Amino acid sequence: NGRAITELARKNPGIVEAYGFSKDSYASWEKNEHVRFIQEVSRQFPRFIKDHSVDLIFSYYGLFHVHGLSGAFAKGSKYASQQKDSVALNAFLHIMHLIQKLNMGGELFAQLPLGAKDSILKRLMLGRHLFTVRIIRTSHRNREFVISVKMPN
C-alpha cells in the first residue's frame, strides 16, 4: 500500500523523488503528496524508469508477488523442484531488470522467500564482477531473506 516509501519520502522532503509501483491500487494513494504511484503489472516496470537513473530501489514484499514466487516457495508448496527453479529464474530475471535501472553507486534492497535463496543468489553471484551482493537478514520464522545489490561508484 506504499507506507514504507511514503515514510522515506516524507522524512526526506526535497531530497527524495519517490515512486511506488504495484499492480493494485489503494485509496491512500489519492491523498499522498510525497510519492508518485504507478499502477501496472511488474513486467511493465522497465517502461516507466530509465536505465541507470535510480539511486535506491526498495522492494518490501513486492518481489514475493512476481512470477508466482510466493506460491512456489510457500510452506507445503506442491511445486516440483524444477518448477520452483523456473519460478526463481523468472524472479532473478526481474531482479536483473531492476539492477539495470540503478545509477553507479545505486543500491537495490529486496525481500524474498527463503526457499528461493540458493537459486537466486547462485545466479546473482555470476554478476559479482559488476555489482556487490550481500544478504542483509535471514528470518527462518518468517521464511524470508533480504538482499542488497550495490553498483560500484
Side-chain angles (χ1 to χ4, degrees):
N1 63 11
R3 279 190 297 223
I5 190 70
T6 298
E7 191 65 18
L8 177 70
R10 190 182 64 72
K11 287 185 174 184
N12 297 282
I15 299 170
V16 172
E17 187 176 341
Y19 294 85
F21 196 90
S22 176
K23 69 177 180 62
D24 301 316
S25 177
Y26 300 92
S28 60
W29 288 8
E30 293 177 25
K31 324 174 244 204
N32 195 313
E33 302 170 0
H34 306 284
V35 179
R36 177 177 170 223
F37 288 100
I38 300 167
Q39 181 187 2
E40 188 59 81
V41 293
S42 62
R43 70 179 171 274
Q44 294 298 324
F45 179 82
R47 198 179 89 184
F48 292 94
I49 309 293
K50 289 189 263 183
D51 289 355
H52 315 293
S53 66
V54 178
D55 293 320
L56 173 67
I57 296 176
F58 175 72
S59 177
Y60 184 68
Y61 284 107
L63 293 180
F64 267 71
H65 306 294
V66 173
H67 307 290
L69 198 57
S70 61
F73 293 96
K75 191 172 186 172
S77 169
K78 303 290 188 224
Y79 279 65
S81 178
Q82 189 175 7
Q83 289 173 303
K84 286 182 178 182
D85 196 54
S86 177
V87 170
L89 172 61
N90 286 328
F92 161 75
L93 293 172
H94 187 77
I95 290 168
M96 292 306 294
H97 285 297
L98 297 177
I99 291 170
Q100 189 174 339
K101 303 303 174 186
L102 292 172
N103 276 327
M104 297 309 286
E107 193 161 6
L108 161 72
F109 291 94
Q111 196 165 12
L112 297 156
L114 189 57
K117 180 179 172 184
D118 291 342
S119 182
I120 290 174
L121 286 178
K122 173 178 65 175
R123 290 176 169 109
L124 282 173
M125 293 312 288
L126 295 173
R128 67 182 174 268
H129 60 286
L130 302 173
F131 45 75
T132 304
V133 179
R134 293 181 301 138
I135 298 173
I136 303 298
R137 181 177 63 100
T138 300
S139 171
H140 292 279
R141 185 172 56 89
N142 294 336
R143 302 182 51 77
E144 65 191 28
F145 73 106
V146 178
I147 61 167
S148 158
V149 179
K150 183 160 177 60
M151 298 298 288
N153 288 329

